[in-house]
Amino acid sequence: MACFIAYAIDKSAAIHQRRRIPERTLLLLGLGCGWPGGLLAQRWLRHKTVKTSFQVAYWGSVVLNVAAVGWLCTLN
């Protein structure tokens, strides 16, 4: 939820030419298990979908997050 809200705030800031949320912050929110909210925001708000460098970093963070959760699930 926090990640979705951050994307929405950043989208509004972009539209109104205000100070933006750094991409690094958006990516870190996604890495902390917030990537589903980021994905929904990208699709529903059409935000951060065109910038290739962000998409590569975003999907890399998704893979890292899923791998880390998978690894943690194997620990007893």
Side-chain angles (χ1 to χ4, degrees):
M1 183 65 123
C3 195
F4 183 92
I5 291 168
Y7 273 74
I9 290 169
D10 189 54
K11 175 72 175 191
S12 176
I15 291 169
H16 296 100
Q17 297 180 340
R18 294 189 312 251
R19 185 175 176 160
R20 307 278 303 275
I21 295 174
E23 287 183 354
R24 178 179 226 177
T25 301
L26 296 175
L27 291 169
L28 286 173
L29 284 169
L31 188 59
C33 294
W35 64 267
L39 182 60
L40 285 175
Q42 287 179 37
R43 300 302 176 245
W44 288 354
L45 305 174
R46 286 181 255 148
H47 189 50
K48 297 288 186 187
T49 58
V50 175
K51 192 171 182 183
T52 304
S53 62
F54 182 83
Q55 285 297 306
V56 168
Y58 172 79
W59 286 107
S61 72
V62 170
V63 169
L64 284 174
N65 181 257
V66 171
V69 169
W71 178 74
L72 287 172
C73 288
T74 64
L75 300 177
N76 286 324

